[in-house]
Amino acid sequence: MNHLARRTLRCRPLALATAWLVTRALMLWLLTHARHPLLGGDAVAREVWWVYRNWYDVLVHGTFPAHDTLWQYPPGAGPVLLSPGLLPGLTYFQAFVALTLATDAAITAALSRAGTRPGRSLRGAALWIGGLPLLLHVPLVRYDVQVTALAVIALLTSTRSTRACGAFAALGALVKVWPALVLLGTPSGRTTRSAWTRSAWTWAAVTGASALAVLAVLFDHPLAFLRHQGGRGVQIESFGGTVLGLATHAGWPGVVRFQYGALEYTGPYVSLVAHASLAATALALALLLLWRLRARHRNAATPYDAALTAVLLFTVTSRVISPQYMIWLLGLAAVCMTSRHTTQRPVAALILVATAVSAVVYPVLYDQVEAATWTGCALMVVRNGLLAAAAVLSFSRLWRSTRAAITDPAPADEPATASHRLRDRALTAP
């Protein structure tokens, strides 16, 4: 390696660190000016200083807020919401934002370290650094950055320690369920590394059961969230909500109400739309299981690509697509981009565009979306259309990349030979 190449490698991490500091300073500035109408007024930050803080006051007494219909999260969310109490001298709001930034920095560091390994890329770290601020200041006042960190670390450790992968995935699932999907891409028992699957899933089960048992001992009503989660309807930002919003212009008499912590449609046919969403989620699960059964070829990026595909499919079929869901997709897309073998580059581009549109949806023009004006409906059609295109493209590229008949696949955690590299380059070419 010549002197210029070594200097370039040293400069890239410095450039990423500088970009992180600048963009996060901008996000903090937006947070301090969040009362501006275009930034959502007090509504964005209220999640922390009102909802989270109230839950904190309940959790410190050793019980989950079982009687609060807003509590719809698995028991692992409890320790996350209690964590700001570990920083004395700060208000709950200040401590929460500080810990979120620290977690964001940890994700950036993990992606940067992964990107400097042979055969890897720093594009993943760059995507995360540049993508998160597209949501303005919203990520700083939601605990989805912490959840995403567990999923990102689970995936990045998968090629080195299947035990760590399973453990982090289980902990993430206990906080917000969806990180369990990162295990979907683990190699099946047909491969020469069949112990990979047994180890990852076994450690996920052991870690999840142990952590749940500890939480059940420390807190009362650990499963109260199931009752509240099951009562949710159709949020205005979901695909079903977009259909119902357009239906109002054709005379549908439904109205928007705040319930279960979100703005949801109520009225005729809402339950039908909600059940259709659940059926679509079941279909998405069936497609993912079919892919797993039919997959023949895997490379180092397959677990990453499968995780992004799975979360995309579950997102677009959900009855709720809150703006913070984009944090999950950005994190998983960033992990995919750390690998030069990924098939998800165009998917990551669509996610970035959808993230930018999401910021316009919420908080900038959320009143238009709530009122289902033509502007609000158009925004939702564009944002959800981008997500639908990303989901279809993600699944199709994952399917094609793993359907090739290969007689001697290299295990995902072994360096590829020259022939493997040439083969993978041909399979993953756009």
Side-chain angles (χ1 to χ4, degrees), residues 3-360:
H3 175 71
L4 180 59
R6 287 195 298 268
R7 184 176 179 181
T8 301
L9 289 176
R10 286 195 300 268
C11 290
R12 287 178 180 174
L14 179 61
L16 290 174
T18 302
W20 187 89
L21 289 171
V22 171
T23 53
R24 274 43 180 185
L26 177 60
M27 292 171 70
L28 283 171
W29 183 86
L30 291 172
L31 185 59
T32 61
H33 293 76
R35 292 189 176 183
H36 193 283
L38 289 180
L39 295 178
D42 290 329
V44 177
R46 189 184 302 143
E47 192 86 5
V48 175
W49 56 257
W50 182 54
V51 179
Y52 292 178
R53 173 66 202 213
N54 287 342
W55 288 343
Y56 174 88
D57 291 337
V58 176
L59 290 164
V60 292
H61 292 97
T63 183
F64 289 101
H67 302 294
D68 187 348
T69 58
L70 299 182
W71 179 256
Q72 301 159 22
Y73 306 106
V80 176
L81 297 173
L82 284 171
S83 61
L86 300 175
L87 298 181
L90 298 177
T91 66
Y92 184 87
F93 184 87
Q94 292 170 339
F96 184 91
V97 173
L99 289 175
T100 303
L101 279 172
T103 307
D104 172 21
I107 294 174
T108 304
L111 292 168
S112 298
R113 182 175 181 181
T116 57
R117 293 172 184 159
R120 296 297 189 94
S121 172
L122 287 170
R123 291 177 180 174
L127 185 148
W128 174 257
I129 292 171
L132 199 64
L134 293 177
L135 291 170
L136 307 179
H137 55 300
V138 172
L140 298 180
V141 285
R142 299 293 186 274
Y143 79 89
D144 294 84
V145 172
Q146 288 86 327
V147 181
T148 302
L150 293 170
V152 167
I153 294 173
L155 285 172
L156 292 179
T157 58
S158 62
T159 57
R160 293 173 174 265
S161 173
T162 56
R163 296 177 179 180
C165 173
F168 280 110
L171 293 175
L174 276 177
V175 178
K176 225 170 190 183
V177 180
W178 69 265
L181 294 172
V182 304
L183 296 176
L184 182 74
T186 58
S188 65
R190 293 190 301 269
T191 67
T192 58
R193 297 297 297 268
S194 59
W196 206 107
T197 299
R198 292 196 298 270
S199 178
W201 284 92
T202 298
W203 275 88
V206 170
T207 302
S210 300
L212 182 59
V214 171
L215 291 169
V217 170
L218 296 177
F219 298 91
D220 296 330
H221 312 297
L223 301 180
F225 75 100
L226 293 174
R227 181 174 67 254
H228 302 150
Q229 183 64 244
R232 298 201 73 164
V234 178
Q235 190 201 30
I236 62 175
E237 295 173 68
S238 66
F239 272 77
T242 302
V243 173
L244 293 173
L246 290 170
T248 61
H249 294 278
W252 179 67
V255 296
V256 175
R257 291 181 181 172
F258 183 81
Q259 54 187 19
Y260 295 99
L263 293 175
E264 298 181 347
Y265 279 109
T266 59
Y269 309 113
V270 170
S271 62
L272 178 64
V273 173
H275 284 94
S277 296
L278 293 174
T281 299
L283 177 60
L285 177 60
L287 286 174
L288 291 168
L289 292 177
L290 178 63
W291 165 80
R292 183 172 174 82
L293 290 173
R294 300 293 296 274
R296 293 292 181 269
H297 167 65
R298 299 172 187 270
N299 59 43
T302 299
Y304 307 163
D305 294 352
L308 178 59
T309 300
V311 176
L312 262 172
L313 288 174
F314 274 77
T315 296
V316 299
T317 58
S318 174
R319 293 172 295 170
V320 181
I321 307 181
S322 299
Q324 55 265 33
Y325 285 26
M326 302 306 301
I327 301 173
W328 315 346
L329 299 176
L330 286 172
L332 296 180
V335 174
C336 291
M337 294 298 288
T338 63
S339 175
R340 300 184 186 276
H341 295 287
T342 185
T343 62
Q344 303 295 303
R345 291 188 184 92
V347 177
L350 287 174
I351 289 173
L352 284 173
V353 178
T355 300
V357 177
S358 292
V360 180

